[in-house]
Amino acid sequence: MSTPARALWVVGPGRAEVRDVALAPPGPDDVVVRTLFSGVSRGTESVVLRGGVPASQHAAMRAPFQEGDFPFPVKYGYLAVGVVEQAPATSRGAALLGRTVFSLHPHQSRFVVPAHAVTPVPDDVPPGRAVLAGAMETAVNALWDAAPLVGDRVTVVGAGMVGGCVAALLARMPGVDVEVVDVDPARAPVAVALGARFARPDDAAVDRDLVVHVSATSAGLTRALELAAPEATVLEVSWYGDRPVQVPLGEFFHPRRLVLRSSQVGSISPARRGSRTYADRMALALRLLADPALDVLVTGESAFEDLPQVLPRLASGDLPALCHRVRYDP
């Protein structure tokens, strides 16, 4: 018999609903996971909620276990933490049974995926913090792309969930001076808790060796170019969906011979592509979440059944959040 579950679907611009779903019986290589928490990737999921995924990116932006097609209706999301309730009759299955795991799965109360699609959460990482794994994985990939050096002066423009993870990793590097720049002064305690300084855009330090941009705004990218030292790199980690981006390249970009480079978590950085798999990268991201300081990035929580009302508020900014955690009650 099929197992009942509940899943979130985005059904129209700004509209989502929770639907009953029936899980197919697991195959010999599958696990059944009961969800404890999921996380809302506010930037990407806001684009999905408004139907803003460009047609040219419909295939590239599919989540691993997405159902439906862009723009609507679509079951989307990729930050799920749960407990393995059923596992294959193998040594790996035995090791997974009863374990807390992370999976790139949409918001759903229970799900069936291949055993290789879940990653055990380390014992020193609380399940509620493990929803940050996707953001930390993005940060790991970004720093593989950027390759900061000991003693560098680095600025992170945008103090969101990904920006916070980038800043936290940079702050652990010897001699690296890390400044986080954001228009919202309420983000200052977050930056400090992660080991970085905070500055408003007009007060930010200049002549930076590396600038990581994650604000997903034209103004933020412009300011990132302004802050970079001659021949420095600006790493663009933001995703804009179908929104156009305008920056004054004539003012800073060409005269300073700046490098503007993209970073995208959908593929492993060329710097590590020959030596790391996706599973390696995810396992590393989860290990890096052992730092309790990262709890500052989880700024809200709501029940799963309330998510259709919560998502539009997150997208509009009416409900401010870095990482919004979704709780699945037993």
Side-chain angles (χ1 to χ4, degrees), residues 45 56 124 143 163 180 276:
E45 294 192 50
S56 64
D124 56 354
L143 294 187
V180 175
R276 302 292 192 279

Side-chain angles (χ1 to χ4, degrees), residues 83-220:
V83 175
V84 175
E85 292 188 320
Q86 187 173 334
T90 63
S91 57
R92 173 167 169 78
L96 288 174
L97 190 62
R99 283 294 304 269
T100 300
V101 296
F102 177 87
S103 180
L104 298 168
H105 197 280
H107 306 283
Q108 186 165 311
S109 61
R110 269 186 175 82
F111 54 89
V112 177
V113 294
H116 65 74
V118 301
T119 304
V121 175
D123 292 338
D124 56 354
V125 177
R129 190 189 305 152
V131 297
L132 295 169
M136 184 58 77
E137 184 186 26
T138 302
V140 167
N141 209 58
L143 294 187
W144 282 350
D145 281 329
L149 300 177
V150 171
D152 271 358
R153 298 163 296 178
V154 185
T155 293
V156 179
V157 178
M161 181 169 65
V162 173
C165 287
V166 171
L169 294 184
L170 287 167
R172 302 179 189 183
M173 294 186 63
V176 173
D177 176 70
V178 188
E179 184 170 86
V180 175
V181 175
D182 200 280
V183 296
D184 184 0
R187 302 283 174 89
V190 174
V192 172
L194 296 173
R197 293 194 316 280
F198 178 85
R200 298 286 298 276
D202 291 343
D203 303 322
V206 297
D207 292 327
R208 310 299 278 176
D209 300 305
L210 168 67
V211 183
V212 181
H213 179 240
V214 284
S215 82
T217 65
S218 295

Side-chain angles (χ1 to χ4, degrees), residues 242-260:
D242 59 358
R243 290 180 295 157
V245 180
Q246 294 184 331
V247 290
L249 295 181
E251 292 188 43
F252 302 95
F253 182 70
H254 286 293
R256 296 184 187 172
R257 298 176 58 85
L258 301 178
V259 174
L260 178 59

Side-chain angles (χ1 to χ4, degrees), residues 279-329:
D280 292 333
R281 191 177 65 182
M282 178 56 73
L284 172 60
L286 282 162
R287 291 198 303 273
L288 292 170
L289 292 177
D291 186 354
L294 293 163
D295 286 333
V296 73
L297 297 176
V298 180
T299 54
E301 183 175 293
S302 61
F304 169 63
E305 294 291 339
D306 295 334
L307 201 48
Q309 292 75 46
V310 170
L311 269 183
R313 296 182 62 201
L314 289 171
S316 69
D318 177 55
L319 185 62
L322 298 178
C323 175
H324 188 86
R325 187 166 57 201
V326 180
R327 181 186 69 255
Y328 294 73
D329 295 321

